[in-house]
Amino acid sequence: VLQFEEVPLLQVLSDLSAVYRLDFETDGQISADCRFTGRFTNQPIEVVLQAIELSLGVSIQRSEDGAKWVVIG
């Protein structure tokens, strides 16, 4: 179970990176005040990322080479 309660987005991405073994990159526009609340139980990463996108108004896309996810805020 992944549970976040007002956790800074950069920490959420770090946690997701460890759990799903993925690399994330931001566009440098993510505010330290950007916080996420959510709970996920055995969800595919696409479901988790979509929830973050909808909740925070950011865009999360695969990099051109497919090696990492890029968060655009």
Side-chain angles (χ1 to χ4, degrees):
V1 174
L2 288 170
Q3 185 163 337
F4 304 102
E5 185 71 37
E6 290 295 311
V7 176
L9 179 56
L10 295 178
Q11 181 61 52
V12 172
L13 296 176
S14 176
D15 292 351
L16 293 177
S17 180
V19 170
Y20 288 93
R21 296 194 171 141
L22 300 171
D23 289 324
F24 289 94
E25 176 180 290
T26 68
D27 65 354
Q29 301 298 313
I30 304 298
S31 167
D33 295 331
C34 187
R35 296 177 177 272
F36 178 73
T37 296
R39 178 185 167 106
F40 306 98
T41 304
N42 297 323
Q43 296 294 324
I45 188 63
E46 292 81 6
V47 171
V48 176
L49 297 180
Q50 183 178 32
I52 293 170
E53 287 179 317
L54 293 173
S55 176
L56 299 179
V58 297
S59 175
I60 305 174
Q61 306 167 356
R62 277 202 182 261
S63 61
E64 287 184 23
D65 62 7
K68 58 190 158 218
W69 293 89
V70 181
V71 182
I72 302 166

